[in-house]
């Protein structure tokens, strides 16, 4: 059993403006809940629902950043310099520290068939490339708050397209787990439609039949609904280098390379 001292402000958020601070007791054990008068946490729990509703109202879209010093810049510089073509040598003229943008989304997927199955997915989209990050951002690297807007590289992927890409990624992952839930719902809906047609035999063009059919489809049509629960724009380090490149014939040219250590991507600036 757990005990938490909630102040006046928290209790007003949970139970309304008349509430006052008090000791909250939680348990997952029905016997302990009965013996000590503690809140039983489980499906349908009042206290669980008040806490979840409070969380949902906070931080729907937030921002955070990953500091540059979490990455060892000399190693990154060496990687960029040695990435030139064979026979070429590169030297750093200038360097700068900037920020790229990632959108991290918490997506709730609801597979609604004969029964409803819910799952929560964390998806991170690179707003420079539009690609889905193949691994979660390490939570210990993420710091609260934004950064100087002058240091942020303009994103190429809109938030809308990032969401659509993330939703498609989740839909694909669920499809790989099998479509039995949808097939069962379709078969059940077909059986009920046959019963409806038999009942309205000869009257299938009536308004009553059309209303019953639409209600049947609304209740039994398999649907995969994906909604964003919350999201965060995360500003991640970028390292930009102005290079002079010398080829095998001793000819020189300059180029600017931006390196993203999260996605491990080099981008040649135009």
């Amino acid at each position: 059993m757990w005990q938490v001292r909630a102040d006046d402000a928290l209790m007003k958020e949970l139970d309304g403006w008349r509430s006052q601070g008090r000791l909250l007791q939680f348990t997952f054990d029905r016997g302990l809940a009965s013996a000590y008068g503690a809140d039983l946490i489980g499906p349908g729990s009042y206290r669980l629902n008040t806490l979840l509703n409070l969380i949902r109202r906070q931080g729907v879209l937030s921002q955070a950043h990953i500091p540059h010093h979490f990455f060892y810049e000399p190693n990154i510089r060496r990687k960029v310099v040695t990435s030139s073509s064979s026979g070429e040598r590169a030297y750093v003229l200038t360097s700068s520290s900037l920020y790229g943008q990632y959108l991290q989304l918490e997506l709730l997927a609801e597979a609604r068939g004969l029964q409803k199955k819910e799952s929560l997915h964390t998806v991170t989209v690179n707003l420079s490339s539009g690609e889905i990050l193949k691994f979660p951002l390490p939570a210990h690297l993420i710091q609260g708050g934004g950064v100087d807007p002058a240091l942020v590289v303009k994103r190429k992927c809109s938030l809308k397209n990032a969401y659509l890409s993330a939703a498609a990624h989740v839909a694909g992952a669920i499809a790989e787990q099998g479509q039995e839930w949808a097939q069962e719902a379709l078969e059940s809906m077909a059986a009920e439609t046959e019963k409806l047609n038999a009942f309205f035999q000869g009257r299938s063009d009536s308004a009553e039949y059309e209303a019953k059919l639409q209600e049947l489809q609304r209740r039994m049509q398999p649907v995969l609904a994906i909604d964003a629960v919350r999201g965060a724009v995360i500003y991640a380090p970028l390292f930009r280098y102005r290079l002079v490149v010398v080829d095998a014939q001793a000819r020189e040219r300059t180029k600017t390379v931006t390196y993203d250590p999260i996605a491990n991507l080099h981008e040649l600036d135009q």
Side-chain angles (χ1 to χ4, degrees):
M1 189 168 67
W2 290 264
Q3 294 182 336
V4 178
R5 172 64 65 180
D7 60 18
D8 289 352
L10 177 57
M11 289 309 303
K12 290 181 189 301
E13 288 282 349
L14 291 173
D15 293 342
W17 66 275
R18 289 177 180 240
S19 302
Q20 296 180 342
R22 65 183 180 89
L23 183 68
L24 296 178
Q25 294 180 308
F26 303 90
T27 181
F28 296 94
D29 185 282
R30 190 175 298 276
L32 290 176
S34 177
Y36 295 97
D39 287 306
L40 178 63
I41 301 300
S45 164
Y46 166 77
R47 182 55 64 206
L48 177 61
N49 286 338
T50 59
L51 290 170
L52 290 176
N53 288 333
L54 175 61
I55 293 170
R56 291 188 183 109
R57 293 196 300 268
Q58 298 178 347
V60 175
L61 180 63
S62 56
Q63 60 179 357
H65 70 284
I66 299 176
H68 284 82
H69 66 260
F70 285 159
F71 299 90
Y72 189 54
E73 192 275 335
N75 281 351
I76 293 174
R77 179 182 295 244
R78 188 177 306 112
K79 179 181 291 189
V80 170
V81 168
T82 57
S83 65
S84 299
S85 302
S86 177
E88 293 185 333
R89 304 186 310 278
Y91 305 93
V92 175
L93 295 176
T94 61
S95 63
S96 55
S97 299
L98 303 171
Y99 287 94
Q101 301 177 65
Y102 284 80
L103 178 64
Q104 183 168 285
L105 292 168
E106 297 289 336
L107 299 176
L108 176 64
E110 293 183 349
R112 304 170 190 158
L114 299 180
Q115 297 179 334
K116 182 172 73 172
K117 181 180 179 181
E118 296 182 341
S119 56
L120 195 62
H121 305 260
T122 302
V123 182
T124 305
V125 185
N126 186 336
L127 294 179
S128 292
S129 65
E131 296 181 354
I132 303 292
L133 200 62
K134 293 181 173 60
F135 54 88
L137 287 173
H140 69 280
L141 297 183
I142 301 174
Q143 309 292 306
V147 297
D148 183 351
L151 299 178
V152 178
V153 175
K154 185 177 180 180
R155 61 175 180 258
K156 299 177 182 178
C157 176
S158 69
L159 296 181
K160 177 181 178 180
N161 287 336
Y163 166 76
L164 293 175
S165 182
H169 175 77
V170 171
I174 292 175
E176 290 179 357
Q177 298 172 5
Q179 299 295 299
E180 292 82 4
W181 65 274
Q183 186 60 39
E184 290 173 357
L186 288 173
E187 290 172 356
S188 181
M189 187 173 69
E192 292 299 317
T193 302
E194 285 186 10
K195 294 178 183 178
L196 186 67
N197 290 336
F199 182 81
F200 280 91
Q201 189 171 12
R203 295 182 293 129
S204 59
D205 57 348
S206 66
E208 184 180 2
Y209 170 83
E210 186 62 31
K212 293 285 187 181
L213 181 61
Q214 289 182 6
E215 172 63 16
L216 176 65
Q217 292 173 342
R218 184 190 67 79
R219 287 189 298 106
M220 305 190 71
Q221 181 76 34
V223 174
L224 177 62
I226 299 175
D227 295 306
V229 177
R230 66 184 68 247
V233 175
I234 299 177
Y235 300 100
L238 294 177
F239 296 86
R240 178 170 288 173
Y241 299 94
R242 184 70 174 170
L243 306 176
V244 57
V245 180
V246 183
D247 64 19
Q249 286 74 41
R251 292 173 299 196
E252 296 183 356
R253 73 180 192 281
T254 59
K255 68 177 182 180
T256 302
V257 175
T258 301
Y259 179 71
D260 178 348
I262 299 292
N264 191 25
L265 289 175
H266 298 75
E267 183 174 338
L268 182 63
D269 292 5
Q270 302 298 324

